[in-house]
Amino acid sequence: MKLSELRIASLEFAFSAALPIGAWFILLSPDAASGMPFLQSAGSFLAHAFTGADVSPTMRVHYILLTVLPLQLLLLSVMTWRQASLTGQCRFWCIYLGWVATVIAIALFYWPSAIASALATYHAGKRTVI
């Protein structure tokens, strides 16, 4: 069975979301010495990262972009898979959001995600009529 370009793009978008999701998993996992349960530790970290007074604006923007990136990549994965089932073509917004996700990944220095997202955007737009 041959995969279409959009299905390949969908799988690449899903793959590129793995690194930011893994980063969140590491950030939210509790410290072994703290002895706190997982949810309490995760809630404490999230409260500190997004509302803490001592967190710099640069770090806050980093955490916001780190939140947006995997959500956007997973949404693109689902939407390109759906477009492959329906029309076989990807619309302009799909390509545009793919490049935005690539730029966000580059800004966060997540190069494997940026490369996979750029390849996915290329495959999504390969046979697209805008």
Side-chain angles (χ1 to χ4, degrees):
M1 180 172 112
K2 185 178 177 184
L3 288 176
S4 71
E5 294 291 329
L6 285 179
R7 295 204 192 260
I8 292 170
S10 177
L11 294 174
E12 288 172 335
F13 279 129
F15 175 74
S16 64
L19 183 63
I21 289 171
W24 271 116
F25 181 74
I26 291 169
L27 287 171
L28 296 177
S29 57
D31 184 15
S34 70
M36 288 195 303
F38 178 78
L39 290 178
Q40 184 180 3
S41 174
S44 173
F45 175 79
L46 290 173
H48 175 72
F50 290 110
T51 62
D54 61 336
V55 177
S56 70
T58 305
M59 285 307 294
R60 188 161 290 137
V61 168
H62 179 82
Y63 290 133
I64 290 170
L65 290 177
L66 189 58
T67 303
V68 168
L69 183 62
L71 297 175
Q72 182 178 1
L73 289 169
L74 290 175
L75 176 71
L76 282 167
S77 177
V78 169
M79 294 307 291
T80 53
W81 191 273
R82 186 170 176 262
Q83 285 292 348
S85 301
L86 297 177
T87 63
Q89 292 182 348
C90 192
R91 301 285 177 229
F92 174 75
W93 59 266
C94 177
I95 297 165
Y96 176 75
L97 289 176
W99 285 118
V100 169
T102 302
V103 169
I104 291 172
I106 290 170
L108 294 174
F109 296 107
Y110 289 161
W111 293 105
S113 289
I115 292 168
S117 178
L119 285 173
T121 304
Y122 167 75
H123 283 118
K126 195 169 182 181
R127 295 186 184 166
T128 298
V129 176
I130 298 175

